[in-house]
Amino acid sequence: MSESGEMSEFGYIMELIAKGKVTIKNIERELICPACKELFTHPLILPCQHSICHKCVKELLLTLDDSFNDVGSDNSNQSSPRLRLPSPSMDKIDRINRPGWKRNSLTPRTTVFPCPGCEHDVDLGERGINGLFRNFTLETIVERYRQAARAATAIMCDLCKPPPQESTKSCMDCSASYCNECFKIHHPWGTIKAQHEYVGPTTNFRPKILMCPEHETERINMYCELCRRPVCHLCKLGGNHANHRVTTMSSAYKTLKEKLSKDIDYLIGKESQVKSQISELNLLMKETECNGERAREEAITHFEKLFEVLEERKSSVLKAIDSSKKLRLDKFQTQMEEYQGLLENSGLVGYAQEVLKETDQSCFVQTAKQLHLRIQKATESLKSFRPAAQTSFEDYVVNTSKQTELLGELSFFSTGIDVPEINEEQSKVYNNALINWHHPEKDKADSYVLEYRKINRDDEMSWNEIEVCGTSKIIQDLENSSTYAFRVRAYKGSICSPCSRELILHTPPAPVFSFLFDEKCGYNNEHLLLNLKRDRVESRAGFNLLLAAERIQVGYYTSLDYIIGDTGITKGKHFWAFRVEPYSYLVKVGVASSDKLQEWLRSPRDAVSPRYEQDSGHDSGSEDACFDSSQPFTLVTIGMKKFFIPKSPTSSNEPENRVLPMPTSIGIFLDYDKGKVNFYDMDQMKCLYERQVDCSHTLYPAFALMGSGGIQLEEPITAKYLEYQEDM
């Protein structure tokens, strides 16, 4: 294609714009800067090929630079690419724009910023703004748009004496607009100025020659095909583009113009298709609006039906309450009138007094017989007063808890996605929370969202959300001594199921204390069996125990076998939990000081006095009479699936009040600083027993077993624990 053919084709496209077939108003959104949302002013081309105003680039860099200096580590929130950045002062920008400026505190040190158009990070490199090309083509189109927008406003001559005349030409070399007379005066025929390039009236003047931003004295004459940007010959010889493939500017001009022309012709040729798709989008918008209104009306109808049901139930309930109230009040009124008749000079008594005045015997007897029966009945009612009706309406209290919960779960129909159910048996809380759920249609759900929140009586806490791909999740960093609610919902694409029923769990009152059983201090391997992990111990009631039973005949008791934790406590609050096997005969659990443990472990293992029990801390014969509140240990007895609360002056000594069912898991809370120990039911995190303990020495978790029995320490909940549960 000849150069004249190229120009004629490009001219044809520009002629379409000029003739209004592609109106300037329709391309307005292409002329808006994505940063300032106004028409481009001196647009620069970013490495991502988006354009932005020269002023906006400086504003972005200066604002980011200020945020780094002022905010420090918090800049990630204030310099988000999605936030509209405040403009710096014009004083800063003007000082940067002055010739000969040097890098100082007012110079943007930041060269990386998010492109407002695509939000990808743009690195300007060492040269910064000076390394960007000015988009003259876009600038020309913007100026043409401005001229079309202010067609009624003429551009005046810059050199006329007042009053100035309307300009007819603008000289691109002089960067000024002229009327016909002034143009002839300043561009006389036969001079160099007569060769100046002139165009129609405009306020947009650009240089005739595009210079290299890296080598300011060199003209742009090549095009880098790798970087897709114009370069000069010095860039190719020894600059950043030395090893890149380049082509001549005329070749790049020809290739890009052909591509652009073909693309524009294709789009213009597809005008009918675009209009058809626009019509289809309009229909879809109308359909969406109609469907939305229909869905809204259906929702209103459903809620109105619920309101009608509630109003009907409200009316019937209130009617029943009013009817019962009236009936009771009538009974009370009748009873009150009967009692008022017993007063003197009124009612029954007054009538009886009048009857007594009757002197005719036959008439008196005829009337007095029935009257006497009535007075006898009134006398009996005085002896045993009983109200005619009840005042309490406890049978008329409306229970709406279940309905309230169901209404709270009211949601859109999930189109086939079942509601997941939280497995309460496999969900637990210890050092962390483990939430496990199952889904009837497991293969149909893409993901799940686990929600949890802290339950606070004063404030309604917001839900925290975690997206989960599986059917279990460990939640960390929960507050101690708190109550949390958990629920889960399933997602299939954009469709969401209703939330599951909430699971309420209580966190321990203190941080979890990690320890293992001590296999050295006092451990009796003849009677006790410790596993390799040292988190489980069993008591074996074997041959040795049968041999020790002979001593019962001579007045000796067999002793307990003690085992303690391998870590002591000297300060702070601590909590640990364990499980006692249901088949256990007798197990003692609690805390003991280092001194007391030495005393126990030094005593004979096979026999002790029947009068002094090792684990009671005082004479067993006098335990009903005294209670040592500052003893250096506290142990409670568990066995035969029962939990035995020790005797104390403040608690009932009746056996039925001291014996509780054995919890599945038992927790111990030690507050060393306050000298207090508590025993908990882990399932409900409920305190079963509290007692003071002497904390003047190091305290250890202490356990004792007699006969067959087993103790399993609770394993901390970690990611490894979750993998083990999934394997199970």
PDB file of all heavy atoms in Angstrom, residues 107 139 264 317 453 593 606 627 720 727:
ATOM      1  N   THR A 107      10.637  15.908  46.451  1.00  0.00           N
ATOM      2  CA  THR A 107      10.662  15.063  45.263  1.00  0.00           C
ATOM      3  C   THR A 107      10.064  13.710  45.586  1.00  0.00           C
ATOM      4  O   THR A 107      10.405  13.106  46.594  1.00  0.00           O
ATOM      5  CB  THR A 107      12.107  14.867  44.778  1.00  0.00           C
ATOM      6  OG1 THR A 107      12.693  16.148  44.576  1.00  0.00           O
ATOM      7  CG2 THR A 107      12.130  14.075  43.479  1.00  0.00           C
ATOM      8  N   GLU A 139      -4.033  13.712  23.165  1.00  0.00           N
ATOM      9  CA  GLU A 139      -4.143  15.125  23.502  1.00  0.00           C
ATOM     10  C   GLU A 139      -4.853  15.889  22.380  1.00  0.00           C
ATOM     11  O   GLU A 139      -5.681  16.786  22.645  1.00  0.00           O
ATOM     12  CB  GLU A 139      -2.734  15.686  23.730  1.00  0.00           C
ATOM     13  CG  GLU A 139      -2.698  16.994  24.476  1.00  0.00           C
ATOM     14  CD  GLU A 139      -1.287  17.354  24.900  1.00  0.00           C
ATOM     15  OE1 GLU A 139      -0.443  16.433  24.999  1.00  0.00           O
ATOM     16  OE2 GLU A 139      -1.032  18.546  25.107  1.00  0.00           O
ATOM     17  N   ILE A 264     -10.727  -0.822  13.412  1.00  0.00           N
ATOM     18  CA  ILE A 264     -11.830   0.132  13.382  1.00  0.00           C
ATOM     19  C   ILE A 264     -12.850  -0.269  12.323  1.00  0.00           C
ATOM     20  O   ILE A 264     -14.069  -0.216  12.544  1.00  0.00           O
ATOM     21  CB  ILE A 264     -11.292   1.551  13.126  1.00  0.00           C
ATOM     22  CG1 ILE A 264     -10.445   2.002  14.321  1.00  0.00           C
ATOM     23  CG2 ILE A 264     -12.437   2.527  12.890  1.00  0.00           C
ATOM     24  CD1 ILE A 264      -9.798   3.350  14.132  1.00  0.00           C
ATOM     25  N   VAL A 317     -54.780 -16.138  71.438  1.00  0.00           N
ATOM     26  CA  VAL A 317     -54.096 -16.216  72.742  1.00  0.00           C
ATOM     27  C   VAL A 317     -54.630 -15.142  73.686  1.00  0.00           C
ATOM     28  O   VAL A 317     -54.920 -15.415  74.861  1.00  0.00           O
ATOM     29  CB  VAL A 317     -52.574 -16.081  72.545  1.00  0.00           C
ATOM     30  CG1 VAL A 317     -51.872 -15.855  73.883  1.00  0.00           C
ATOM     31  CG2 VAL A 317     -52.011 -17.337  71.885  1.00  0.00           C
ATOM     32  N   ARG A 453     -18.924 -15.931  66.707  1.00  0.00           N
ATOM     33  CA  ARG A 453     -18.912 -14.652  67.403  1.00  0.00           C
ATOM     34  C   ARG A 453     -18.935 -14.896  68.901  1.00  0.00           C
ATOM     35  O   ARG A 453     -19.419 -15.920  69.376  1.00  0.00           O
ATOM     36  CB  ARG A 453     -20.097 -13.789  66.991  1.00  0.00           C
ATOM     37  CG  ARG A 453     -21.439 -14.300  67.473  1.00  0.00           C
ATOM     38  CD  ARG A 453     -22.570 -13.353  67.123  1.00  0.00           C
ATOM     39  NE  ARG A 453     -23.867 -13.859  67.570  1.00  0.00           N
ATOM     40  CZ  ARG A 453     -25.014 -13.227  67.364  1.00  0.00           C
ATOM     41  NH1 ARG A 453     -25.025 -12.080  66.727  1.00  0.00           N
ATOM     42  NH2 ARG A 453     -26.144 -13.742  67.809  1.00  0.00           N
ATOM     43  N   SER A 593       1.545 -29.834  96.476  1.00  0.00           N
ATOM     44  CA  SER A 593       2.806 -29.101  96.526  1.00  0.00           C
ATOM     45  C   SER A 593       3.974 -30.072  96.492  1.00  0.00           C
ATOM     46  O   SER A 593       3.836 -31.280  96.749  1.00  0.00           O
ATOM     47  CB  SER A 593       2.867 -28.248  97.789  1.00  0.00           C
ATOM     48  OG  SER A 593       2.929 -29.077  98.938  1.00  0.00           O
ATOM     49  N   ASP A 606       3.430 -50.097 100.380  1.00  0.00           N
ATOM     50  CA  ASP A 606       2.547 -51.254 100.524  1.00  0.00           C
ATOM     51  C   ASP A 606       1.539 -51.109 101.642  1.00  0.00           C
ATOM     52  O   ASP A 606       0.517 -51.782 101.647  1.00  0.00           O
ATOM     53  CB  ASP A 606       3.383 -52.520 100.758  1.00  0.00           C
ATOM     54  CG  ASP A 606       4.333 -52.360 101.935  1.00  0.00           C
ATOM     55  OD1 ASP A 606       4.491 -51.225 102.464  1.00  0.00           O
ATOM     56  OD2 ASP A 606       4.928 -53.369 102.332  1.00  0.00           O
ATOM     57  N   PHE A 627     -11.865 -28.708 109.182  1.00  0.00           N
ATOM     58  CA  PHE A 627     -11.567 -28.578 107.753  1.00  0.00           C
ATOM     59  C   PHE A 627     -10.405 -27.612 107.612  1.00  0.00           C
ATOM     60  O   PHE A 627     -10.509 -26.450 107.961  1.00  0.00           O
ATOM     61  CB  PHE A 627     -12.797 -28.053 107.007  1.00  0.00           C
ATOM     62  CG  PHE A 627     -12.581 -27.949 105.535  1.00  0.00           C
ATOM     63  CD1 PHE A 627     -12.732 -29.046 104.711  1.00  0.00           C
ATOM     64  CD2 PHE A 627     -12.221 -26.733 104.978  1.00  0.00           C
ATOM     65  CE1 PHE A 627     -12.543 -28.935 103.371  1.00  0.00           C
ATOM     66  CE2 PHE A 627     -12.025 -26.614 103.629  1.00  0.00           C
ATOM     67  CZ  PHE A 627     -12.183 -27.723 102.824  1.00  0.00           C
ATOM     68  N   LYS A 720      -2.208 -30.703  63.554  1.00  0.00           N
ATOM     69  CA  LYS A 720      -1.878 -32.127  63.555  1.00  0.00           C
ATOM     70  C   LYS A 720      -3.022 -32.935  64.158  1.00  0.00           C
ATOM     71  O   LYS A 720      -3.350 -34.028  63.701  1.00  0.00           O
ATOM     72  CB  LYS A 720      -0.592 -32.345  64.354  1.00  0.00           C
ATOM     73  CG  LYS A 720       0.003 -33.725  64.212  1.00  0.00           C
ATOM     74  CD  LYS A 720       1.357 -33.795  64.898  1.00  0.00           C
ATOM     75  CE  LYS A 720       1.971 -35.178  64.712  1.00  0.00           C
ATOM     76  NZ  LYS A 720       3.286 -35.273  65.383  1.00  0.00           N
ATOM     77  N   ASP A 727      -8.222 -38.693  59.714  1.00  0.00           N
ATOM     78  CA  ASP A 727      -7.837 -40.075  59.431  1.00  0.00           C
ATOM     79  C   ASP A 727      -8.748 -41.050  60.149  1.00  0.00           C
ATOM     80  O   ASP A 727      -9.079 -42.124  59.626  1.00  0.00           O
ATOM     81  CB  ASP A 727      -6.383 -40.306  59.860  1.00  0.00           C
ATOM     82  CG  ASP A 727      -5.416 -39.520  58.988  1.00  0.00           C
ATOM     83  OD1 ASP A 727      -5.812 -39.147  57.854  1.00  0.00           O
ATOM     84  OD2 ASP A 727      -4.288 -39.280  59.441  1.00  0.00           O
TER      85      ASP A 727
END
